[in-house]
Short mmCIF file of all heavy atoms in Angstrom, two decimals:
data_model
loop_
_atom_site.label_atom_id
_atom_site.label_comp_id
_atom_site.label_asym_id
_atom_site.label_seq_id
_atom_site.Cartn_x
_atom_site.Cartn_y
_atom_site.Cartn_z
N TYR A 167 112.64 99.27 126.61
CA TYR A 167 111.54 99.93 125.84
C TYR A 167 110.51 98.87 125.57
O TYR A 167 110.79 97.89 124.90
CB TYR A 167 112.05 100.52 124.55
CG TYR A 167 112.77 101.83 124.70
CD1 TYR A 167 114.14 101.90 124.78
CD2 TYR A 167 112.04 103.03 124.73
CE1 TYR A 167 114.80 103.12 124.94
CE2 TYR A 167 112.70 104.23 124.85
CZ TYR A 167 114.07 104.29 124.97
OH TYR A 167 114.70 105.49 125.09
N TRP A 168 109.30 99.13 126.06
CA TRP A 168 108.16 98.22 125.85
C TRP A 168 106.97 98.98 125.14
O TRP A 168 106.82 100.14 125.45
CB TRP A 168 107.67 97.64 127.16
CG TRP A 168 108.70 96.80 127.89
CD1 TRP A 168 109.56 97.31 128.87
CD2 TRP A 168 109.00 95.46 127.74
NE1 TRP A 168 110.36 96.29 129.29
CE2 TRP A 168 110.05 95.11 128.65
CE3 TRP A 168 108.44 94.42 126.93
CZ2 TRP A 168 110.61 93.85 128.76
CZ3 TRP A 168 109.03 93.15 127.06
CH2 TRP A 168 110.06 92.86 127.97
N ILE A 169 106.28 98.23 124.34
CA ILE A 169 105.06 98.80 123.73
C ILE A 169 103.97 97.77 124.06
O ILE A 169 104.16 96.60 123.87
CB ILE A 169 105.22 98.96 122.19
CG1 ILE A 169 106.21 100.09 121.90
CG2 ILE A 169 103.87 99.25 121.53
CD1 ILE A 169 106.69 100.20 120.41
N THR A 170 102.83 98.26 124.56
CA THR A 170 101.83 97.26 124.98
C THR A 170 101.11 96.66 123.79
O THR A 170 101.23 95.43 123.53
CB THR A 170 100.82 97.87 125.96
OG1 THR A 170 100.31 99.11 125.43
CG2 THR A 170 101.45 98.16 127.33
N PHE A 171 100.42 97.40 123.02
CA PHE A 171 99.62 96.86 121.88
C PHE A 171 100.01 97.60 120.58
O PHE A 171 100.01 98.84 120.56
CB PHE A 171 98.08 97.02 122.04
CG PHE A 171 97.60 96.24 123.22
CD1 PHE A 171 97.29 96.88 124.42
CD2 PHE A 171 97.42 94.86 123.16
CE1 PHE A 171 96.82 96.11 125.52
CE2 PHE A 171 96.96 94.13 124.22
CZ PHE A 171 96.63 94.82 125.44
N ASN A 172 100.22 96.82 119.56
CA ASN A 172 100.45 97.42 118.22
C ASN A 172 99.18 98.00 117.68
O ASN A 172 98.10 97.35 117.72
CB ASN A 172 100.94 96.33 117.28
CG ASN A 172 101.30 96.95 115.90
OD1 ASN A 172 102.18 97.77 115.80
ND2 ASN A 172 100.58 96.52 114.84
N GLU A 173 99.27 99.24 117.21
CA GLU A 173 98.09 99.90 116.55
C GLU A 173 96.77 99.59 117.24
O GLU A 173 95.84 99.06 116.67
CB GLU A 173 98.06 99.46 115.09
CG GLU A 173 99.27 99.89 114.31
CD GLU A 173 99.21 99.65 112.80
OE1 GLU A 173 98.52 98.79 112.35
OE2 GLU A 173 99.86 100.40 112.08
N ILE A 174 96.73 99.95 118.55
CA ILE A 174 95.53 99.63 119.31
C ILE A 174 94.25 100.20 118.69
O ILE A 174 93.18 99.55 118.72
CB ILE A 174 95.70 100.10 120.79
CG1 ILE A 174 94.60 99.60 121.67
CG2 ILE A 174 95.85 101.63 120.89
CD1 ILE A 174 94.81 99.76 123.16
N ASN A 175 94.41 101.35 117.98
CA ASN A 175 93.20 101.98 117.45
C ASN A 175 92.72 101.27 116.12
O ASN A 175 91.67 101.56 115.62
CB ASN A 175 93.39 103.47 117.19
CG ASN A 175 94.65 103.77 116.39
OD1 ASN A 175 95.56 102.97 116.32
ND2 ASN A 175 94.74 104.91 115.83
N ALA A 176 93.52 100.30 115.61
CA ALA A 176 93.07 99.56 114.43
C ALA A 176 91.84 98.70 114.80
O ALA A 176 91.18 98.16 113.92
CB ALA A 176 94.18 98.67 113.90
N ILE A 177 91.61 98.53 116.12
CA ILE A 177 90.45 97.78 116.56
C ILE A 177 89.15 98.29 115.93
O ILE A 177 88.19 97.58 115.70
CB ILE A 177 90.33 97.77 118.12
CG1 ILE A 177 89.38 96.69 118.61
CG2 ILE A 177 90.01 99.10 118.64
CD1 ILE A 177 89.35 96.51 120.15
N GLU A 178 89.14 99.60 115.60
CA GLU A 178 87.90 100.19 115.05
C GLU A 178 87.70 99.76 113.62
O GLU A 178 86.59 99.69 113.13
CB GLU A 178 87.97 101.68 115.13
CG GLU A 178 88.22 102.20 116.56
CD GLU A 178 88.33 103.69 116.69
OE1 GLU A 178 87.46 104.36 116.14
OE2 GLU A 178 89.26 104.10 117.35
N PHE A 179 88.81 99.46 112.93
CA PHE A 179 88.67 99.16 111.46
C PHE A 179 88.74 97.65 111.22
O PHE A 179 88.08 97.12 110.32
CB PHE A 179 89.75 99.84 110.67
CG PHE A 179 89.97 101.27 111.11
CD1 PHE A 179 91.12 101.65 111.77
CD2 PHE A 179 88.99 102.22 110.87
CE1 PHE A 179 91.33 102.92 112.23
CE2 PHE A 179 89.16 103.53 111.32
CZ PHE A 179 90.33 103.87 112.00
N MET A 180 89.70 97.00 111.89
CA MET A 180 89.93 95.56 111.71
C MET A 180 90.00 94.91 113.07
O MET A 180 91.09 94.58 113.51
CB MET A 180 91.28 95.37 110.98
CG MET A 180 91.37 95.89 109.54
SD MET A 180 90.20 95.08 108.42
CE MET A 180 90.85 93.44 108.50
N PRO A 181 88.85 94.69 113.71
CA PRO A 181 88.89 94.27 115.11
C PRO A 181 89.62 92.92 115.34
O PRO A 181 90.06 92.64 116.46
CB PRO A 181 87.44 94.18 115.51
CG PRO A 181 86.68 94.37 114.26
CD PRO A 181 87.52 94.98 113.23
N TYR A 182 89.77 92.14 114.29
CA TYR A 182 90.44 90.84 114.50
C TYR A 182 91.92 91.05 114.76
O TYR A 182 92.56 90.28 115.50
CB TYR A 182 90.25 89.96 113.26
CG TYR A 182 90.75 88.54 113.42
CD1 TYR A 182 90.09 87.65 114.29
CD2 TYR A 182 91.84 88.14 112.73
CE1 TYR A 182 90.55 86.33 114.44
CE2 TYR A 182 92.32 86.80 112.88
CZ TYR A 182 91.67 85.94 113.75
OH TYR A 182 92.13 84.62 113.92
N PHE A 183 92.52 92.03 114.11
CA PHE A 183 94.01 92.14 114.18
C PHE A 183 94.53 92.44 115.58
O PHE A 183 95.22 91.66 116.18
CB PHE A 183 94.48 93.12 113.13
CG PHE A 183 94.60 92.58 111.77
CD1 PHE A 183 93.47 92.26 111.04
CD2 PHE A 183 95.80 92.37 111.16
CE1 PHE A 183 93.54 91.69 109.75
CE2 PHE A 183 95.92 91.85 109.86
CZ PHE A 183 94.80 91.53 109.16
N PRO A 184 94.15 93.64 116.09
CA PRO A 184 94.74 93.90 117.44
C PRO A 184 94.02 93.19 118.58
O PRO A 184 94.59 93.01 119.63
CB PRO A 184 94.60 95.40 117.60
CG PRO A 184 93.50 95.78 116.68
CD PRO A 184 93.44 94.77 115.57
N ALA A 185 92.75 92.74 118.36
CA ALA A 185 91.97 92.25 119.48
C ALA A 185 91.41 90.87 119.32
O ALA A 185 90.70 90.40 120.18
CB ALA A 185 90.86 93.24 119.82
N GLY A 186 91.67 90.21 118.22
CA GLY A 186 91.15 88.85 118.02
C GLY A 186 89.63 88.81 118.06
O GLY A 186 89.06 87.80 118.42
N LEU A 187 88.97 89.86 117.67
CA LEU A 187 87.50 89.91 117.76
C LEU A 187 86.84 89.45 116.47
O LEU A 187 87.16 89.97 115.40
CB LEU A 187 87.02 91.35 117.99
CG LEU A 187 87.25 91.94 119.40
CD1 LEU A 187 86.80 93.42 119.42
CD2 LEU A 187 86.49 91.17 120.45
N ILE A 188 86.01 88.48 116.59
CA ILE A 188 85.15 88.06 115.47
C ILE A 188 83.75 88.45 115.94
O ILE A 188 83.24 87.87 116.90
CB ILE A 188 85.29 86.53 115.19
CG1 ILE A 188 86.76 86.18 114.88
CG2 ILE A 188 84.34 86.12 114.05
CD1 ILE A 188 87.00 84.68 114.87
N ILE A 189 83.17 89.40 115.21
CA ILE A 189 81.86 89.94 115.66
C ILE A 189 80.74 89.28 114.94
O ILE A 189 80.70 89.22 113.70
CB ILE A 189 81.85 91.51 115.54
CG1 ILE A 189 83.03 92.02 116.34
CG2 ILE A 189 80.55 92.07 116.01
CD1 ILE A 189 83.33 93.47 116.15
N LYS A 190 79.82 88.68 115.69
CA LYS A 190 78.68 88.01 115.09
C LYS A 190 77.65 89.02 114.57
O LYS A 190 77.60 90.16 115.06
CB LYS A 190 78.05 87.04 116.11
CG LYS A 190 79.01 86.01 116.57
CD LYS A 190 78.36 84.99 117.51
CE LYS A 190 79.33 84.36 118.42
NZ LYS A 190 79.52 85.05 119.75
N GLU A 191 76.86 88.50 113.59
CA GLU A 191 75.88 89.43 112.99
C GLU A 191 74.90 90.03 113.95
O GLU A 191 74.48 91.12 113.85
CB GLU A 191 75.17 88.73 111.86
CG GLU A 191 75.94 88.85 110.56
CD GLU A 191 75.25 88.23 109.40
OE1 GLU A 191 74.04 88.04 109.45
OE2 GLU A 191 75.97 87.97 108.40
N ASP A 192 74.52 89.22 114.98
CA ASP A 192 73.49 89.74 115.90
C ASP A 192 74.07 90.55 117.04
O ASP A 192 73.38 90.90 117.94
CB ASP A 192 72.65 88.56 116.44
CG ASP A 192 73.52 87.55 117.19
OD1 ASP A 192 74.73 87.62 117.11
OD2 ASP A 192 72.93 86.67 117.80
N GLU A 193 75.35 90.79 116.97
CA GLU A 193 75.96 91.57 118.05
C GLU A 193 75.99 93.06 117.67
O GLU A 193 76.04 93.40 116.51
CB GLU A 193 77.44 91.11 118.31
CG GLU A 193 77.54 89.83 119.10
CD GLU A 193 78.97 89.51 119.44
OE1 GLU A 193 79.79 89.36 118.48
OE2 GLU A 193 79.30 89.43 120.62
N ASN A 194 76.03 93.87 118.66
CA ASN A 194 76.20 95.31 118.48
C ASN A 194 77.69 95.59 118.31
O ASN A 194 78.43 95.58 119.27
CB ASN A 194 75.59 96.07 119.67
CG ASN A 194 75.80 97.63 119.54
OD1 ASN A 194 76.67 98.05 118.83
ND2 ASN A 194 75.03 98.30 120.32
N ARG A 195 78.06 95.79 117.03
CA ARG A 195 79.48 95.90 116.69
C ARG A 195 80.27 96.91 117.53
O ARG A 195 81.29 96.65 118.07
CB ARG A 195 79.58 96.21 115.20
CG ARG A 195 80.95 96.22 114.64
CD ARG A 195 80.94 96.58 113.16
NE ARG A 195 82.28 97.09 112.80
CZ ARG A 195 83.28 96.35 112.37
NH1 ARG A 195 83.08 95.08 112.16
NH2 ARG A 195 84.40 96.86 112.06
N ASP A 196 79.68 98.13 117.56
CA ASP A 196 80.40 99.18 118.31
C ASP A 196 80.53 98.86 119.80
O ASP A 196 81.57 99.13 120.38
CB ASP A 196 79.61 100.51 118.18
CG ASP A 196 79.79 101.09 116.77
OD1 ASP A 196 80.84 100.77 116.11
OD2 ASP A 196 78.86 101.81 116.31
N GLN A 197 79.46 98.29 120.30
CA GLN A 197 79.52 97.96 121.78
C GLN A 197 80.64 96.95 122.03
O GLN A 197 81.46 97.08 122.97
CB GLN A 197 78.16 97.36 122.22
CG GLN A 197 78.07 96.88 123.61
CD GLN A 197 78.16 98.02 124.68
OE1 GLN A 197 77.68 99.14 124.41
NE2 GLN A 197 78.84 97.82 125.80
#
Side-chain angles (χ1 to χ4, degrees):
Y167 281 95
W168 299 92
I169 291 169
T170 51
F171 296 103
N172 183 62
E173 298 187 334
I174 190 167
N175 52 342
I177 194 171
E178 304 179 47
F179 318 109
M180 295 296 298
Y182 188 69
F183 280 69
L187 288 174
I188 301 170
I189 301 170
K190 298 184 205 92
E191 272 183 19
D192 60 349
E193 282 185 301
N194 176 340
R195 185 182 157 90
D196 288 333
Q197 177 68 34

